[in-house]
Amino acid sequence: MKYFIVTIFIVVFFIPATISAQDLRHIDEIAPFSEGFAAIRRGEQWGFINEKGDLVIPFRDDIYWDKNADTSKLDLSGIRYPMFIEGRCLISKTVEDGITVVGFIDTDGKVVIEPQFLNIYPFKDGYSTGVLFDKAYKGENEFKLKIYDLKFFDVLVDTSGHIEEYFERRHNIQMAKRRYKLPPIMAKRLVGDLVALHIEGDGWEIRKIEYK
């Protein structure tokens, strides 16, 4: 009886560590940690690292921030650094003559609320109030120019993007860049189901809302 010796060669592929290593050099700015994440800036792009130093949200150019922010303010004018609050971070895009609208991503970097707000407060207990921008196509005029109906509302929104309540319709918001000013938010959630609304010419009033 003959015996055959079979030699098995096991080929091991060594992948250099540098291939999978994250390039976290040449960082221009590092924001404070919030909810386990810190924003880091390279040029005009921001990404997010976790507390292990892993880049968990890659650098992107739609993260909202304002290097000239007044940090004493709670609305958009006070956002100096990007950060997560209740699992949401602001993103932005430009509309109407370069004017900015904002929405939100979650901690996976997924867009959960499309940019549609001219101004908004941070979420608290799952809700926020802001100024919603709505643009509806109406048709064309005699010169074949497209006509749009622009609407603005103060609203109550939850972290999924569901509009819980439409409050007063807003007027006199100019959407031309040279005239545009960040509109103040005229609805403030106080606690529970209580909301304060500012009525033009009549001060503030308190309303109780019913969640849908």
Side-chain angles (χ1 to χ4, degrees):
M1 180 179 294
K2 296 181 179 181
Y3 296 90
F4 295 91
I5 300 175
V6 180
T7 303
I8 300 175
F9 294 94
I10 300 176
V11 181
V12 179
F13 294 93
F14 293 95
I15 302 176
T18 54
I19 293 179
S20 59
Q22 299 176 87
D23 182 9
L24 295 179
R25 298 172 298 169
H26 310 299
I27 303 301
D28 296 312
E29 193 168 9
I30 304 172
F33 272 90
S34 174
E35 299 187 355
F37 301 90
I40 56 176
R41 180 173 65 84
R42 181 185 289 158
E44 295 300 309
Q45 295 188 329
W46 289 87
F48 281 88
I49 59 172
N50 61 17
E51 293 178 345
K52 296 180 180 179
D54 300 321
L55 185 65
V56 291
I57 296 180
F59 290 96
R60 50 196 291 171
D61 57 12
D62 62 346
I63 301 294
Y64 182 85
W65 66 298
D66 181 359
K67 62 182 178 181
N68 299 314
D70 178 355
T71 55
S72 67
K73 303 291 183 62
L74 294 178
D75 62 1
L76 291 188
S77 62
I79 306 298
R80 174 63 183 86
Y81 300 104
M83 62 176 53
F84 281 97
I85 299 176
E86 297 204 356
R88 300 291 182 264
C89 178
L90 286 161
I91 57 171
S92 66
K93 74 174 183 180
T94 55
V95 295
E96 299 302 313
D97 197 23
I99 293 171
T100 296
V101 291
V102 297
F104 293 86
I105 58 171
D106 62 16
T107 54
D108 293 322
K110 178 183 176 182
V111 177
V112 289
I113 302 178
E114 292 289 342
Q116 56 189 314
F117 294 93
L118 293 173
N119 200 358
I120 195 166
Y121 287 129
F123 283 102
K124 182 179 180 181
D125 300 326
Y127 297 92
S128 179
T129 54
V131 182
L132 180 71
F133 169 58
D134 182 41
K135 179 178 179 179
Y137 176 67
K138 295 185 64 177
E140 296 181 347
N141 61 16
E142 64 271 23
F143 302 106
K144 301 299 182 181
L145 297 176
K146 294 181 179 179
I147 302 174
Y148 295 92
D149 184 21
L150 305 183
K151 297 180 181 179
F152 313 93
F153 293 91
D154 281 296
V155 298
L156 176 71
V157 59
D158 68 16
T159 53
S160 71
H162 174 68
I163 304 298
E164 288 282 351
E165 189 79 23
Y166 285 84
F167 300 113
E168 307 303 315
R169 181 171 178 178
R170 299 287 294 275
H171 301 280
N172 301 321
I173 295 179
Q174 298 288 335
M175 292 299 283
K177 188 68 173 179
R178 60 190 178 89
R179 296 182 179 179
Y180 179 76
K181 294 182 180 179
L182 184 70
I185 304 168
M186 297 300 187
K188 297 180 180 181
R189 183 168 177 263
L190 302 177
V191 64
D193 57 358
L194 295 182
V195 174
L197 297 176
H198 188 272
I199 308 301
E200 187 174 355
D202 198 29
W204 292 89
E205 69 176 40
I206 308 298
R207 293 187 189 176
K208 182 178 289 189
I209 60 174
E210 294 182 4
Y211 292 99
K212 300 174 183 178

